[in-house]
Amino acid sequence: MIRKLFGLFFLVTMAFSSYGTHNLAGEITYRHLSGLTYEFTFTIYADGTSPAIAREEIEVNWGDFTKLDSINLNSQVEIISSPFPILKRVWRATHTFPGPAFTYRISVEDPNRNANVINMDNSINVPFTIQTELTIPAFTGDENNSVQLRNDPIDRACAGVRFVYNPGAFDPDGTDSLSYSLAPSRGGRDVIAPNFSFPQASNSFTINAVTGDLVWDVPTQTGIYNVAIVIKEYRRGFFIGSVLRDIQISVEGNCNNSAPTIFSDDQVCVEAGTRLVSLIRSTDSDLSDLVTLTASGEILESPINLRTNFNIQSSANPVNTSFEWNTNCEDVRRNSYTLNLRAEDNASVRGSVNLVNFKTVNIKVVSPGPSNASAQASGKSILLNWNNLDCPNASGYYIYRRNDSSGFVPSNCITGVPDGINYEKIATIEDVNNQSFLDNNNGIGLVPGQKYCYLITKFYPDGAESYASEEVCSEIEKIIPVITNVSITTTNEVNGSLLLAWSPPDSFNTTAFPAPYRYLIVNEENGSVLIDSTNSITDTIYNLNNTNTKNNARRFKVELLSLGNGRQIVGGTSVASSLFLTTTVSDEQVRLNWIDQTPWNNTRFDVFRKVSGAPQFDSIGTVLTPTFTDFNVQNEIEYCYFIRSVGQYNLNSVIRPIINLSQEVCATPIDNVPPCSPEFTLESNCTDGFMELKWNDIRRVCAPDLARYRIYFAETPNAAKTLLFETEQLDDTTYTAPSDSVGGCFTVVAVDSTGNESNFNDLQCAPYCPVYELPNVFTPNGDGKNDLFVPIKPYKYVDSIYIQIFNRWGEVVFQTNDIEINWNGEHENVKFKKGNEVLNSNQKNVSSAVYFYVCEVYELSLEPTEPRIIKGTITVLDSKVIQEKQ
């Protein structure tokens, strides 16, 4: 039998050897046709001198549990120049998948990989495998076409010279983000080629995840190498497909050459509708070498290539050329276009290896923004108007607003409205033909006296955003009162008081709203509730007493009432809130936060503090944002605070500055900050029954008030932690487990004098040391000594067992899942016991003889494992046979 197996192995090996001589590199790409049907292109680069090249059939695994398809070669594209002819062979086939919302892995496995690849074992006998992943969306309209690759996966390098390769990939959909990573070449059955290793380098062998540049810095050993590149596609942050390209690099020695250098912009932006002219230059330090500069990318493919021009220049040093593109509005998109540049010298004419360099140019086509924007105040609203003279194919508009002007002017490549200039998006208009917007602050009305400024952009279906419009601004006329104060004067839950104040209108429409006038005081905390009115138009201050100013922010507005023609509300102020202060205490610090919701702009906040019981507050700091941390405090002492805000409107008729006070709040800092976590190590040894934890003394690092250490234990990495050990001996930073307790997961925490416990470190685990042994003899004769077959004591770390005991004819005489076993020598024709109930009472004592057992021992372990199998014999002596002999 052994000879037959060896012969079969020999025949299989010879079969692989006779064919495995020509596949070098390749990939699988696809495009969506309709519904669940896709067209696949299988490209394999092969040694044209191999006799196996006559084989024109490949088998495709579609990844959908259908049978393998045999595909015949349907085009032979070209011969690639090399020391030997390389054929670029292309198969095409269509396939309809069974359903959507699934990722399919399509692969081709062929035995014919070429020989002498040095970074895997015995490559001539390693199958050549390429694969691609396709995610079919749950809903139609979001189907994907794979990346397209324009640079061949065959290249040559020189030992000792930095090597660069780029696959020249682009996304034909124009909507997806690409990510590049290295991967091992695949062998048969989608496993890594045997003993595969990435090529050795003096410095590094890496790939740029964004540009796809594979950089080998630098090759150290001549020979043939294979490696794979995985190009993944993401759409709106979700993975939608990938292509695995297997590439081959031939490293040669005795090279007296250096690769050309390419000079161009890394990023170019062009406004849609204008002509892009980008200058490109390539030079070679070997002055006698001539350079050929070529380019690839989506913009050189149909139909965009009808509007582009790249002058391929060869046989020159230096090469000076340009890329030109007559852009239009259809070119606008969120993702940049990539122009992949490739420069190759002709060092082969002087006996060296031609070397290549690559560079990726990202070209962003940006939509012009809306034009002729204007802003016109009307009552408490501002009307925006603009034109969309350029690129009317947008989806709609974004409206951005801020208080006061920023002076922002869009610069090259800055699309939309950048962060940092304090603009807020306030509206989205999804009708590109609607070129006006009324800003009434969502019906609340804009604040009189404020200068409001706007930027408008266009957006497109894929998320692209245009340049911003010209900044336009306007102010609301002051024909209504303007609130200036909601200031706390006394803090109390019942007898608190606050000051309301406002500025009167600059003018009155006495025709529509004749005198006399009054002001109405309206509480806005739980709906609009009228609480009082003034006696005259000159009354612009109101004191609210006997109210709660401690527990929440107070919100008010003031309305102007006309009484000359009935009761008519002329208009009202915006709602203003009192400063509401809250505190958070920690170890020797108090953090203050406060609500700042006012229609005026607060330009600074002054912080005041006093020790509880002191006669007055003192200023302790000034900040520009509504937060402050007081570090100059002591634990267990009460401190009281209030905030004074300083702000203004952009109106000369309103008082400046506007001063308001928060309520007073008291707080007592306490030590609630845990100490840092000790760093620890865990050592164990099953042979010696030894396990020890050691940790660092953290008192000088972060815990001067350290009180104790605690050790927590968990049976497995995912099990609950329990307190195992606690020590107040701070100089002793070692824990040694008892010799019979080796194994499990541990962590060490520190506890300070107030009981704060440090965060849990990651668990460190030691393997268990399970013990379970069985004796080889027992005497079930009823004398009370050794009457039961039981495991040798002690045993430990055993969850369960299952044992079967056989006689010499292979018959099961006993079986159980009881860890103690407790076999008394009786022959049992039952599989298990149900509690204490015997399911089959046909029993008898076995005779004195040798019996065989197989025991599955399920031991406690850190990770799920297979049971340990114990096989052996047990000799039964002095058996008291109570029925007939076997």
Side-chain angles (χ1 to χ4, degrees):
M1 183 63 180
I2 294 176
R3 289 180 180 177
K4 290 181 180 179
L5 289 176
F6 177 79
L8 177 61
F9 174 78
F10 178 76
L11 289 174
V12 171
T13 302
M14 287 301 293
F16 273 86
S17 299
S18 63
Y19 288 102
T21 56
H22 72 279
N23 286 338
L24 311 178
E27 75 274 343
I28 305 171
T29 58
Y30 55 85
R31 67 186 182 97
H32 177 246
L33 297 181
S34 64
L36 300 174
T37 302
Y38 291 75
E39 179 189 67
F40 289 84
T41 299
F42 307 88
T43 306
I44 298 179
Y45 296 74
D47 178 0
T49 66
S50 168
I53 200 71
R55 184 171 181 269
E56 297 187 350
E57 188 179 77
I58 59 172
E59 280 193 339
V60 179
N61 184 339
W62 297 111
D64 58 1
F65 307 107
T66 58
K67 66 181 182 65
L68 300 182
D69 268 356
S70 294
I71 309 297
N72 288 319
L73 181 70
N74 47 36
S75 65
Q76 185 166 304
V77 177
E78 60 183 300
I79 299 177
I80 300 173
S81 176
S82 181
F84 54 88
I86 296 174
L87 298 186
K88 179 179 179 181
R89 312 174 79 208
V90 177
W91 291 258
R92 288 189 174 88
T94 60
H95 185 74
T96 300
F97 291 89
F102 194 80
T103 298
Y104 299 94
R105 178 177 292 176
I106 300 91
S107 62
V108 167
E109 178 183 318
D110 191 276
N112 302 331
R113 186 184 286 274
N114 69 309
N116 302 319
V117 178
I118 67 174
N119 61 323
M120 64 179 71
D121 283 350
N122 197 19
S123 63
I124 195 170
N125 289 327
V126 176
F128 173 82
T129 299
I130 49 178
Q131 62 188 31
T132 190
E133 291 179 299
L134 161 65
T135 298
I136 299 181
F139 304 100
T140 59
D142 204 21
E143 289 81 6
N144 180 49
N145 298 289
S146 76
V147 295
Q148 298 299 306
L149 310 175
R150 290 296 180 257
N151 292 330
D152 294 324
I154 304 290
D155 218 331
R156 301 169 70 190
C158 285
V161 179
R162 184 174 183 267
F163 169 81
V164 180
Y165 169 79
N166 188 288
F170 67 87
D171 169 37
D173 299 314
T175 58
D176 306 329
S177 299
L178 305 185
S179 174
Y180 300 83
S181 61
L182 292 172
S185 293
R186 315 300 291 182
R189 298 186 179 181
D190 194 28
V191 298
I192 297 173
N195 207 25
F196 174 89
S197 62
F198 288 105
Q200 293 184 352
S202 296
N203 297 316
S204 60
F205 186 85
T206 59
I207 193 168
N208 187 306
V210 177
T211 67
D213 284 344
L214 187 157
V215 179
W216 191 349
D217 187 18
V218 294
T220 59
Q221 182 180 351
T222 60
I224 300 173
Y225 297 84
N226 270 72
V227 68
I229 295 176
V230 178
I231 308 168
K232 294 183 179 180
E233 292 183 89
Y234 296 87
R235 186 173 297 172
R236 295 184 291 275
F238 294 96
F239 172 79
I240 58 170
S242 69
V243 170
L244 180 143
R245 165 177 262 196
D246 199 310
I247 68 173
Q248 186 167 103
I249 307 166
S250 177
V251 179
E252 303 180 26
N254 301 319
C255 296
N256 182 23
N257 191 20
S258 58
T261 303
I262 303 174
F263 301 93
S264 69
D265 292 325
D266 296 326
Q267 175 78 44
V268 178
C269 288
V270 57
E271 187 170 277
T274 63
R275 180 178 179 81
L276 169 67
V277 179
S278 181
L279 300 180
I280 302 168
R281 177 182 174 89
S282 180
T283 64
D284 196 306
S285 59
D286 300 312
L287 299 180
S288 63
D289 290 352
L290 303 180
V291 178
T292 298
L293 182 64
T294 58
S296 63
E298 178 186 359
I299 44 185
L300 295 176
E301 306 276 337
S302 178
I304 300 178
N305 67 331
L306 299 176
R307 294 182 282 110
T308 63
N309 181 40
F310 179 79
N311 297 314
I312 296 177
Q313 290 203 1
S314 60
S315 301
N317 187 6
V319 171
N320 292 291
T321 186
S322 64
F323 171 73
E324 301 176 6
W325 184 5
N326 291 315
T327 64
N328 62 35
C329 293
E330 298 300 325
D331 299 325
V332 173
R333 72 183 194 190
R334 181 176 183 177
N335 290 345
S336 295
Y337 297 84
T338 55
L339 182 68
N340 298 301
L341 301 176
R342 181 180 186 274
E344 181 177 5
D345 64 21
N346 69 337
S348 59
V349 299
R350 56 184 176 86
S352 187
V353 175
N354 291 356
L355 291 182
V356 176
N357 205 350
F358 295 88
K359 185 169 185 180
T360 300
V361 179
N362 293 303
I363 302 175
K364 181 83 169 178
V365 180
V366 183
S367 167
S371 56
N372 302 321
S374 64
Q376 181 66 45
S378 175
K380 294 179 68 176
S381 304
I382 294 177
L383 178 64
L384 302 177
N385 287 286
W386 61 89
N387 297 129
N388 185 25
L389 302 178
D390 300 305
C391 293
N393 60 318
S395 297
Y397 306 94
Y398 294 140
I399 312 296
Y400 296 85
R401 183 186 71 196
R402 61 163 277 163
N403 292 338
D404 210 352
S405 60
S406 67
F408 172 72
V409 177
S411 60
N412 189 37
C413 289
I414 303 299
T415 61
V417 176
D419 295 333
I421 62 172
N422 297 323
Y423 264 95
E424 176 188 4
K425 185 192 294 185
I426 62 168
T428 299
I429 299 174
E430 297 188 354
D431 180 3
V432 74
N433 296 312
N434 182 0
Q435 296 169 31
S436 65
F437 174 73
L438 182 67
D439 181 16
N440 58 12
N441 200 19
N442 294 320
I444 299 174
L446 297 171
V447 177
Q450 291 284 25
K451 181 181 180 182
Y452 293 96
C453 295
Y454 301 86
L455 292 171
I456 308 163
T457 66
K458 295 188 285 191
F459 67 87
Y460 289 77
D462 71 339
E465 197 169 357
S466 72
Y467 287 126
S469 69
E470 178 186 0
E471 186 178 59
V472 292
C473 304
S474 186
E475 294 185 20
I476 302 298
E477 185 180 0
K478 190 182 173 214
I479 58 173
I480 55 176
V482 173
I483 194 166
T484 58
N485 293 89
V486 182
S487 186
I488 306 300
T489 52
T490 305
T491 301
N492 193 276
E493 288 186 59
V494 177
N495 297 317
S497 60
L498 57 86
L499 168 71
L500 297 176
W502 56 93
S503 176
D506 290 342
S507 61
F508 295 88
N509 186 345
T510 57
T511 301
F513 303 101
Y517 302 102
R518 298 287 186 273
Y519 295 113
L520 304 179
I521 312 302
V522 181
N523 183 294
E524 289 288 332
E525 291 157 19
N526 295 296
S528 296
V529 178
L530 178 64
I531 60 172
D532 208 344
S533 63
T534 64
N535 294 322
S536 137
I537 192 63
T538 59
D539 293 338
T540 58
I541 296 177
Y542 181 83
N543 289 292
L544 178 61
N545 299 313
N546 301 319
T547 188
N548 183 356
T549 57
K550 181 177 181 179
N551 296 333
N552 55 274
R554 306 305 307 272
R555 293 168 52 83
F556 297 91
K557 72 177 180 181
V558 177
E559 294 180 338
L560 177 62
L561 176 67
S562 166
L563 297 174
N565 187 17
R567 295 175 62 88
Q568 300 181 78
I569 300 296
V570 180
T573 70
S574 298
V575 176
S577 171
S578 64
L579 292 171
F580 184 69
L581 174 63
T582 59
T583 62
T584 304
V585 297
S586 189
D587 186 17
E588 296 186 342
Q589 59 180 274
V590 178
R591 183 174 180 84
L592 310 177
N593 293 281
W594 53 94
I595 295 174
D596 170 31
Q597 296 178 344
T598 62
W600 61 87
N601 292 326
N602 284 318
T603 57
R604 80 166 196 261
F605 302 95
D606 301 324
V607 182
F608 292 84
R609 182 194 72 191
K610 71 172 183 177
V611 177
S612 182
Q616 64 183 24
F617 284 87
D618 295 315
S619 174
I620 61 171
T622 296
V623 292
L624 305 180
T625 58
T627 183
F628 178 84
T629 301
D630 185 7
F631 295 101
N632 190 25
V633 293
Q634 299 178 28
N635 290 340
E636 309 302 332
I637 296 178
E638 186 178 58
Y639 299 86
C640 298
Y641 301 87
F642 76 86
I643 307 299
R644 179 176 67 191
S645 67
V646 180
Q648 65 179 38
Y649 289 99
N650 292 324
L651 277 174
N652 293 328
S653 61
V654 177
I655 186 173
R656 295 184 184 180
I658 297 172
I659 307 295
N660 282 273
L661 306 180
S662 75
Q663 89 281 22
E664 297 176 10
V665 177
C666 298
T668 303
I670 59 173
D671 181 1
N672 57 7
V673 178
C676 62
S677 302
E679 297 178 358
F680 72 100
T681 59
L682 175 63
E683 296 182 23
S684 67
N685 186 308
C686 286
T687 303
D688 300 330
F690 169 80
M691 187 174 68
E692 185 176 72
L693 286 88
K694 292 183 178 180
W695 57 92
N696 64 317
D697 188 342
I698 62 172
R699 283 176 289 182
R700 293 185 179 180
V701 178
C702 64
D705 59 341
L706 181 67
R708 61 184 59 85
Y709 293 106
R710 290 173 179 164
I711 297 173
Y712 285 86
F713 168 78
E715 284 193 342
T716 64
N718 297 320
K721 304 180 195 65
T722 58
L723 181 62
L724 175 69
F725 179 76
E726 185 174 73
T727 177
E728 296 182 0
Q729 302 298 319
L730 303 183
D731 292 327
D732 185 3
T733 56
T734 300
Y735 169 77
T736 303
S739 59
D740 61 345
S741 300
V742 177
C745 299
F746 302 83
T747 189
V748 182
V749 301
V751 184
D752 65 17
S753 58
T754 57
N756 297 310
E757 190 176 70
S758 68
N759 295 327
F760 282 94
N761 279 312
D762 292 337
L763 289 171
Q764 293 190 35
C765 301
Y768 287 98
C769 302
V771 175
Y772 192 79
E773 296 177 340
L774 299 178
N776 58 9
V777 65
F778 83 116
T779 57
N781 56 9
D783 65 357
K785 300 178 182 180
N786 199 27
D787 283 336
L788 296 176
F789 178 43
V790 294
I792 298 172
K793 304 295 195 307
Y795 57 84
K796 58 184 179 179
Y797 300 131
V798 177
D799 279 340
S800 62
I801 65 116
Y802 172 59
I803 188 170
Q804 286 184 311
I805 301 175
F806 305 86
N807 61 23
R808 59 180 176 173
W809 295 285
E811 180 187 6
V812 176
V813 298
F814 182 79
Q815 55 187 339
T816 187
N817 49 16
D818 182 358
I819 293 178
E820 287 286 336
I821 303 178
N822 288 321
W823 184 37
N824 62 2
E826 292 181 349
H827 185 299
E828 297 185 357
N829 290 328
V830 294
K831 290 185 177 180
F832 291 103
K833 292 181 179 180
K834 185 177 181 181
N836 294 321
E837 179 186 0
V838 177
L839 301 182
N840 188 327
S841 61
N842 182 16
Q843 300 179 357
K844 59 183 177 180
N845 278 42
V846 299
S847 60
S848 298
V850 176
Y851 295 83
F852 305 90
Y853 63 80
V854 177
C855 183
E856 298 176 4
V857 183
Y858 295 84
E859 298 168 334
L860 185 63
S861 62
L862 300 176
E863 301 292 341
T865 58
E866 294 296 319
R868 179 167 64 97
I869 306 299
I870 302 175
K871 297 180 181 180
T873 62
I874 176 69
T875 300
V876 178
L877 297 177
D878 300 329
S879 175
K880 184 179 180 181
V881 180
I882 61 175
Q883 293 188 14
E884 62 182 11
K885 294 183 179 180
Q886 296 182 26

